[in-house]
């Protein structure tokens, strides 16, 4: 079976579709054909006019893994991104940083990119969320703005302390940003 709308050599996993303006955007991980794992590539985001879902296009790489400050040291892969238009009108890209339990953030003036590294999701005191072994493991972020309040959802569907991450995994976590 062929991919119904993307080129055959394009693999977008963990897809998050969003409509901004008159276009639908598909945000997701970027897998490599024949790769030895998943999410081995930089992010590419695809979009199409809302009224013509047969005409998809991509402007190339929207965000590179090497833009993240942890790249090479702790970050090799980026998983399951989501994008939200913030209260300031800018677009915020949230993504899982490899197996670190840290959620990265990048920002851009347009939904398609080029995004720039912004930081990590942090507590009001500046401590990075997910950086402590006592916290629940966070991954696959989803962001929702409701009545001006920004909510970050993340999590898993299992409870385990036997993975290489050695963290509790317990369903979904949610926090207000």
């Amino acid at each position: 079976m062929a991919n119904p709308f993307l080129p055959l050599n394009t693999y977008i996993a963990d897809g998050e579709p969003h409509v901004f303006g008159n276009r639908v955007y598909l945000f997701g991980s970027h897998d490599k054909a024949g790769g030895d794992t998943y999410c081995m590539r930089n992010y590419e985001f695809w979009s199409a006019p809302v009224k013509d879902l047969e005409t998809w296009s991509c402007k190339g790489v929207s965000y590179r893994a090497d833009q993240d400050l942890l790249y090479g040291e702790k970050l090799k892969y980026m998983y399951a991104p989501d994008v939200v238009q913030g209260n300031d009108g800018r677009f915020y890209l949230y993504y899982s940083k490899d197996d670190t339990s840290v959620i990265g953030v990048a920002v851009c003036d347009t939904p398609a990119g080029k995004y720039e590294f912004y930081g990590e999701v942090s507590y009001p005191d500046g401590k990075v969320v997910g950086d402590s072994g006592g916290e629940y493991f966070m991954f696959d972020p989803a962001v929702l703005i409701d009545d001006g309040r920004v909510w970050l959802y993340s999590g898993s569907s299992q409870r385990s302390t036997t993975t290489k991450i050695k963290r509790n995994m317990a369903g979904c976590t949610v926090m207000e940003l």
Side-chain angles (χ1 to χ4, degrees):
M1 184 169 152
N3 191 328
F5 65 95
L6 298 178
L8 293 178
N9 63 348
T10 300
Y11 305 98
I12 305 295
D14 305 314
E16 293 282 345
H18 293 283
V19 174
F20 296 117
N22 62 356
R23 296 187 72 81
V24 61
Y25 292 83
L26 178 62
F27 303 102
S29 303
H30 190 190
D31 289 353
K32 177 180 176 183
D36 58 356
T37 187
Y38 46 88
C39 307
M40 295 180 67
R41 293 207 164 166
N42 301 315
Y43 290 141
E44 287 183 357
F45 302 137
W46 289 79
S47 70
V50 170
K51 294 185 179 188
D52 180 9
L53 297 180
E54 293 183 12
T55 309
W56 288 82
S57 63
C58 177
K59 295 185 178 190
V61 173
S62 300
Y63 185 66
R64 299 182 329 272
D66 66 6
Q67 290 177 258
D68 190 291
L69 298 181
L70 291 182
Y71 181 77
E73 175 189 343
K74 292 183 179 180
L75 175 71
K76 188 173 180 183
Y77 308 115
M78 301 181 301
Y79 306 144
D82 195 12
V83 172
V84 66
Q85 187 170 15
N87 294 326
D88 61 359
R90 300 182 82 195
F91 295 87
Y92 292 85
L93 166 69
Y94 292 81
Y95 57 96
S96 293
K97 292 184 171 206
D98 220 326
D99 292 326
T100 66
S101 187
V102 174
I103 305 296
V105 184
V107 66
C108 187
D109 291 329
T110 66
K114 307 285 186 201
Y115 285 83
E116 295 295 328
F117 180 74
Y118 188 73
E120 288 93 14
V121 172
S122 301
Y123 293 107
D125 66 3
K127 181 180 170 284
V128 175
V129 173
D131 210 19
S132 164
E135 296 174 280
Y136 283 104
F137 182 72
M138 297 176 59
F139 72 98
D140 293 0
V143 184
L144 172 72
I145 296 181
D146 182 30
D147 199 24
R149 296 171 69 186
V150 182
W151 298 93
L152 170 68
Y153 292 82
S154 69
S156 68
S157 61
Q158 59 190 2
R159 187 173 199 48
S160 172
T161 56
T162 60
T163 65
K164 67 180 179 178
I165 300 158
K166 304 289 187 213
R167 298 277 184 97
N168 285 330
M169 296 180 163
C172 179
T173 60
V174 63
M175 68 175 52
E176 185 174 4
L177 300 179

